[in-house]
């Protein structure tokens, strides 16, 4: 993407920039942190942030922006950091991304903006994610809420219901409230933030950040309703016909845990990652006994899977006191979908990795508690269409390992509740809602985005989809006014 | 009469008929399951399977030789160790895929046994080998779909 270069505030001569080392982010000591739930990464300090920003060579063709799913104006905010205008930098990011403190922490920058950063071709890429996190945190402490004072727009008289308070729903709320619409977010759980609060643990994303974001939106006028399950408490039709909502956005996520369908999955001590993480995060199982959520403290925990969910679960199990917490993964480490940083941190914290291993059966005692896992070793076969070598079971490689807790983290599907209660909304064979580029579904006035449409993806993609839907809903509402007049 | 003698006594046409009958049984099973299914996505998945088996049945009738010449892909064995679900009205798409992949695997084994039984009879051996390969190909496709959707491990 060729574009006008932003005003430069970088005082380091261009030739010297490549000699500046990438700034390490301070983090909690591995041994210490593996027994607490405090955040692992501690963030850059202002001096480090400026030095890191000075590593940017201000490319004519800033490929970093192409690598970002919502095209944050990366070179622009980096220059503002060079000028020590941290609040300005935060505002710049907020033009495209309403949750920078979240994205700065959980986005897979190494496969997005940083992967294609020009400096990264020869040296280590500019630490864009760390810079994003730094300015977002700075703005939270020193700024005024969302940093810019919000000018309340004229009320439009139109009402929008947002179902689900994950990143997709929050992005829609943030965009549409600025246009004067009356916005209500309905959430099934008792906290707002979707996976960001019930899935991703405190040590990676402190809940206080989400509470602050929700408080900002509330201050802007967004209404939040918890413990409200659309499809059960009230249907979409009722929301529109009886409650007078002009449009509805569905940001339901992919919260239905998937199991492996092997014998023994219903034994005590076998959890879905979803249940395990929710118990720990949302019901504060990690603060037991102060919070009364019983969570079994395992001695030998295995977590089946290789994604971010598996890493979050295994690191949680370790922190809850497991002597041994291991990842059991069918493929090799190279294929793990989890972020490199999570794998690296898990290893530092003493997590064991059993790669090319697949459980085929869980064995229980007389009381129905899991006591062992029977596994098979896998070998890599021929590459498939995507070039990845497929794991194939090795004949006669069965072995049994002692376990007293198993967490299944092989993926999530979509909850069928809305499809069942709203047949007008088209779904595909996986149960995902079918929506066009702008999030428009087959039901008039109903839009959808995030994991419920794409299947399990990322925070930034869910947010990007939310913003596209917000723009489309805005147009739809305008056309509705037009047709009434 | 043993099964081998029974098959040996059949002409090629009758053998193809027997195989077509096998496909029809699968179509009937999936049709019944589709009509029972409550979930829209499950109905969609069963319809896809019906279409796949119907296509296979037509191919058998027309005896499309070139279709059978390609070597089968590796058996991924993704569903081999999973529990076989029963057909019932609230099946999930995941269970349907397991059911179908296991069925293809079982049929492939049956044809492979027939091919092995008739090693001496070149014509029958080739025919059954081709049938076994085709079923393995279906199993591979279904297991790839299963892997992509249900073992994302994200
Ligand atoms: C453990 C874990 C770790 C992850 N780590 C990362 C990471 O590091 N980086 C990254 O980019 N992505 C990560 N992801 C993926 C990311 O969190 C999701 O892609 C993203 O949250 C999807 O956002 P969403 O708004 O579509 O849905 P969600 O965040 O799932 O939110 C949906 C919300 O809708 C609510 N809801 C559902 N149905 C109803 C209903 N009928 N009525 C009312 N409310 C309803 C749910 O309770 C939920 O709060 C992770 C996912 C998990 C599970
Ligand atoms: S690609 Fe890297 S060096 Fe170039 S503008 Fe973007 S962050 Fe700076």
């Amino acid at each position: 993407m060729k574009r006008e270069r932003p005003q430069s505030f970088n005082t380091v001569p261009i030739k010297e920039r490549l000699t500046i080392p990438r700034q390490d982010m301070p983090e909690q000591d591995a041994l210490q942190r593996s027994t607490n739930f405090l955040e692992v990464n501690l963030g850059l300090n202002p001096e480090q942030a400026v030095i890191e920003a000075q590593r940017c060579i201000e490319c004519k063709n800033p490929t970093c922006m192409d690598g970002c799913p919502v095209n944050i104006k990366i070179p622009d905010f980096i220059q503002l950091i060079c000028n020590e205008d941290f609040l300005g930098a935060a505002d710049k990011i907020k033009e495209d991304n309403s949750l920078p403190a979240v994205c700065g922490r959980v986005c897979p920058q190494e496969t997005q903006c940083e992967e294609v950063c020009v400096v990264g071709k020869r040296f280590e890429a500019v630490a864009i994610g760390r810079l994003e996190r730094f300015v977002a945190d700075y703005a939270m402490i020193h700024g005024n809420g969302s940093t810019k004072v919000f000018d309340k727009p004229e009320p439009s008289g139109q009402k929008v219901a947002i179902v689900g308070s994950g990143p997709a729903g929050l992005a829609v709320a943030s965009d549409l409230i600025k246009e004067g619409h009356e916005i209500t977010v309905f959430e099934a759980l008792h906290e707002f933030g979707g996976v960001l609060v019930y899935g991703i643990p405190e040590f990676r994303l402190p809940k206080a950040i989400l509470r602050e974001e929700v408080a900002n939106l509330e201050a802007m006028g967004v209404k939040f309703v918890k413990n409200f399950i659309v499809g059960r408490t009230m249907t979409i039709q009722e929301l529109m016909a009886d409650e007078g909502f002009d449009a509805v956005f569905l940001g339901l996520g992919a919260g239905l845990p998937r199991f492996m369908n092997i014998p023994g999955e219903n034994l005590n001590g076998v959890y879905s990652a979803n249940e395990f993480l929710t118990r720990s995060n949302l019901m504060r199982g990690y603060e037991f006994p102060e919070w009364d959520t019983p969570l079994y403290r395992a001695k030998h925990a295995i977590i089946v899977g290789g994604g971010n969910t598996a890493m979050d679960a295994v690191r949680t199990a370790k922190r809850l006191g497991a002597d041994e917490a291991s990842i059991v993964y069918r493929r090799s480490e190279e294929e793990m979908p989890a972020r490199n940083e999570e794998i690296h941190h898990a290893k530092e914290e003493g997590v064991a990795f059993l790669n090319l291993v697949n459980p085929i059966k869980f064995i229980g005692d007389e009381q129905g508690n899991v006591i062992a896992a029977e596994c098979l070793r896998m070998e890599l076969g021929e590459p498939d269409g995507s070039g990845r070598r497929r794991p194939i079971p090795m004949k006669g490689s069965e072995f049994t390992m002692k376990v007293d807790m198993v967490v299944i983290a092989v993926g999530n599907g979509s909850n069928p509740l809305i499809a069942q209660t709203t047949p007008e909304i088209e779904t595909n064979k996986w149960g995902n809602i079918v929506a066009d580029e702008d999030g428009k579904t087959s039901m008039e006035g109903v839009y959808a985005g995030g994991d419920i449409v794409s299947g399990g993806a990322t925070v930034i993609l869910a947010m990007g989809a939310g913003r596209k839907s917000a723009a489309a809903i805005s147009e739809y509402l305008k056309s509705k006014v037009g047709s009434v007049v | 009469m043993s099964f081998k003698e029974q098959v040996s006594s059949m002409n090629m046409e009758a053998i193809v008929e027997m195989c077509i009958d096998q496909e029809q049984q699968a179509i009937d099973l999936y049709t019944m399951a589709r009509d029972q299914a409550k979930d829209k996505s499950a109905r969609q998945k069963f319809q896809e399977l019906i279409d796949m088996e119907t296509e296979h049945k037509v191919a058998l009738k027309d005896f499309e030789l070139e279709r059978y010449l390609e070597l089968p892909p590796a058996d991924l064995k993704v569903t081999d160790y999973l529990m076989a679900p029963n057909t019932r009205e609230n099946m999930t798409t995941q269970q349907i895929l397991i059911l179908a992949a296991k069925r293809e695997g079982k049929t492939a084994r049956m044809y492979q046994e027939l091919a092995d039984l008739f090693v001496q009879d070149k014509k029958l051996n080739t025919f059954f080998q081709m049938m076994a390969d085709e079923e393995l190909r279906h199993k591979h496709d279904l297991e790839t779909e299963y892997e992509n959707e249900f073992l994302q491990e994200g």
Side-chain angles (χ1 to χ4, degrees), chain A residues 341-353:
Chain A
E341 184 181 78
E342 309 316 327
I343 299 173
H344 171 73
H345 278 155
K347 283 185 176 165
E348 279 185 343
E349 290 161 13
V351 167
F353 283 70

Side-chain angles (χ1 to χ4, degrees), chain A residues 418-433:
Chain A
I418 293 288
Q420 280 165 3
T421 53
T422 323
E424 296 93 317
I425 295 182
E426 195 190 331
T427 49
N428 68 12
K429 65 181 166 185
W430 309 122
N432 296 332
I433 292 179

Side-chain angles (χ1 to χ4, degrees), chain A residues 53 55-65 74-76 78-79 113-114 116-120 125-128:
Chain A
R55 296 183 65 230
C56 173
I57 56 170
E58 300 169 62
C59 305
K60 233 191 245 155
N61 178 13
T63 43
C64 53
M65 277 181 68
I74 295 168
D76 304 34
I78 288 184
Q79 283 317 306
C113 52
E114 292 182 18
V116 290
C117 164
V118 175
V119 172
V126 175
I128 301 166

Side-chain angles (χ1 to χ4, degrees), chain A residues 37-322:
Chain A
F37 277 84
L38 302 175
E39 198 177 5
V40 170
N41 290 325
L42 302 173
L44 300 177
N45 62 39
E47 294 74 35
Q48 280 181 305
V50 172
I51 298 173
E52 186 59 41
Q54 287 170 336
R55 296 183 65 230
C56 173
I57 56 170
E58 300 169 62
C59 305
K60 233 191 245 155
N61 178 13
T63 43
C64 53
M65 277 181 68
D66 300 327
C68 171
V70 296
N71 306 122
I72 292 177
K73 298 174 202 80
I74 295 168
D76 304 34
F77 93 72
I78 288 184
Q79 283 317 306
L80 291 166
I81 297 178
C82 288
N83 197 28
E84 295 182 34
D85 178 4
F86 305 136
L87 292 180
D91 282 339
K92 189 51 79 186
I93 301 178
K94 285 217 166 198
E95 287 174 13
D96 304 291
N97 175 350
S98 44
L99 298 172
V102 173
C103 290
R105 285 173 167 81
V106 305
C107 269
Q109 291 99 6
E110 68 278 10
T111 59
Q112 299 180 349
C113 52
E114 292 182 18
E115 184 178 41
V116 290
C117 164
V118 175
V119 172
K121 284 186 181 171
R122 282 278 188 106
F123 303 91
E124 282 189 287
V126 175
I128 301 166
R130 291 175 185 175
L131 291 175
E132 179 181 29
R133 173 194 160 128
F134 166 76
V135 292
D137 286 1
Y138 185 94
M140 275 208 177
I141 300 165
H142 303 282
N144 173 8
S146 66
T147 74
K148 262 198 180 140
V149 182
F150 170 66
D151 301 320
K152 253 198 160 83
E154 277 293 300
S156 70
Q158 287 171 305
K159 285 169 69 176
V160 181
I162 294 173
V163 188
S165 64
L170 293 181
V172 177
S174 159
D175 280 3
L176 290 182
I177 193 72
K178 293 176 190 144
E179 298 195 2
H181 305 305
E182 195 183 315
I183 308 292
T184 310
V185 177
F186 296 99
E187 170 54 55
L189 298 172
H190 63 267
E191 271 206 54
F192 304 105
V195 170
L196 307 181
V197 293
Y198 81 73
I200 302 182
E202 180 79 13
F203 57 82
R204 215 152 62 81
L205 179 63
K207 313 269 164 279
I209 293 175
L210 262 299
R211 283 191 209 114
E212 170 113 13
E213 294 294 355
V214 169
N216 279 340
L217 288 171
E218 261 179 330
M220 289 161 87
V222 176
K223 283 186 211 146
F224 283 88
V225 181
K226 60 186 172 186
N227 299 321
F228 191 108
I229 306 176
V230 174
R232 191 165 300 145
T233 322
M234 208 178 265
T235 62
I236 296 177
Q237 293 89 332
E238 286 165 342
L239 282 177
M240 296 181 93
D242 304 344
E243 301 298 313
F245 284 98
D246 299 281
V248 175
F249 174 79
L250 302 172
L252 311 166
L256 189 73
R258 281 184 175 148
F259 283 93
M260 302 174 70
N261 279 278
I262 62 173
E265 268 179 311
N266 52 1
L267 289 167
N268 299 327
V270 181
Y271 297 91
S272 69
N274 212 312
E275 181 186 351
F276 178 68
L277 287 170
T278 306
R279 274 176 185 255
S280 171
N281 286 327
L282 208 49
M283 294 148 92
R284 313 269 173 97
Y286 65 88
E287 288 177 25
F288 187 81
E290 288 92 76
W291 282 73
D292 188 18
T293 304
L295 243 185
Y296 179 61
R297 265 100 177 121
K299 289 196 174 62
H300 306 282
I302 61 167
I303 284 69
V304 186
N308 286 327
T309 311
M311 294 309 141
D312 284 343
V314 79
R315 295 172 70 195
T316 297
K318 188 85 196 160
R319 281 164 171 74
L320 288 171

